[in-house]
Amino acid sequence: MSAPDPRAPLDPALESFIDKWRGRWPEWPVAEIFVPPAQRALALAWATLLQELTDAAWGGRDARPGEAKLGWWQEELTGWAAGRRRHPLGQALQRQPATWARLAQALDTLPATREPARDAEQAIAALQAFAAAAAEAEQALFGGTGCAPAITLSLLHLHLAHHPDGAVPEALRAAHGENAPQAWAKALRRRFGARGTPRPRGVWAALAHARLAQADPAQPLSPWRTVWAAWRGARG
């Protein structure tokens, strides 16, 4: 199955979802030069899907709306595997030969990652099933192998940057108090490298790794830091 044409105009409904992802990653127009042009449109749609799923799991004060949304996404992804689609992201993704049914099943594990884990090991382990399913789909989309650790890094960064209340393990809060988010970011940078395959994931992981070095991991990188990080990630 061919990837979406990166030069083709996007459907307005699809564009609105992708713009939500672009809003968090304004450095992407610089970073994407390290991604093959034929993969760029597909990469945007895939990154947006992962953001939609994790925002459902981690966003809002009340977990119940997000759990309902994850249930809807389970039905949607199962439908993609059977050749059906409703969500605008399906325009770019549904016909791709990814393991959509397995990704749907792995959504069952995301609600448990909403609240702070006991320690770093538990926080990482709780995401392993979803990261493995996402890695299988991602490898089908872009090729390559072994990207689950890089996906885990990206997910943990996203949690800390945009849903910090549930991101930092309790052990770090007890040990570091108000400095616990910075301690968690430093621990993640030590544990996970910036490299990953395939090429889009290597770049995303490198950007996440670089943002974790900042006081606020939600803030975009400067243009020069973006180039340096993306280049290093692409080399991986």
Side-chain angles (χ1 to χ4, degrees), residues 3 14 19 22 50 54 65 83 86 97 99 105 149 155 183 218-219 228:
L14 175 58
D19 279 347
R22 288 188 178 118
L50 291 181
T54 51
R86 295 171 292 176
T99 48
Q105 293 173 347
L155 293 173
Q219 287 298 307
W228 175 244

Side-chain angles (χ1 to χ4, degrees), residues 64-234:
R64 290 171 294 181
E67 290 172 356
K69 191 171 184 179
L70 286 175
W72 186 93
W73 270 112
Q74 282 190 306
E75 294 180 1
E76 178 70 358
L77 292 172
T78 301
W80 288 8
R84 304 184 303 271
R85 68 171 188 254
R86 295 171 292 176
H87 197 279
L89 284 170
Q91 298 173 34
L93 294 170
Q94 181 266 318
R95 294 184 180 181
Q96 300 300 320
T99 48
W100 301 124
R102 185 172 178 217
L103 187 64
Q105 293 173 347
L107 293 184
D108 284 335
T109 67
L110 277 182
T113 66
R114 177 183 174 87
E115 299 301 325
R118 180 180 62 254
D119 53 28
E121 296 301 328
Q122 187 182 66
I124 293 166
L127 279 171
Q128 291 310 295
F130 180 73
E136 187 173 328
E138 192 164 292
Q139 287 157 203
L141 294 173
F142 304 111
T145 59
C147 58
I151 289 176
T152 301
L153 169 65
S154 294
L155 293 173
L156 290 167
H157 163 261
L158 189 157
H159 201 180
L160 178 62
H162 301 291
H163 308 284
D165 289 346
V168 182
E170 293 175 348
L172 271 74
R173 290 195 181 278
H176 298 278
E178 64 181 17
N179 295 320
Q182 291 78 17
W184 182 223
K186 185 176 180 180
L188 292 175
R189 281 176 55 82
R190 286 198 307 265
R191 185 180 291 263
F192 294 99
R195 293 183 180 181
T197 54
R199 181 73 65 82
R201 178 54 57 190
V203 173
W204 287 325
L207 296 178
H209 195 266
R211 280 194 179 192
L212 285 166
Q214 301 182 144
D216 182 354
Q219 287 298 307
L221 304 170
S222 69
W224 283 113
R225 290 197 68 202
T226 297
V227 170
W228 175 244
W231 176 75
R232 291 185 63 193

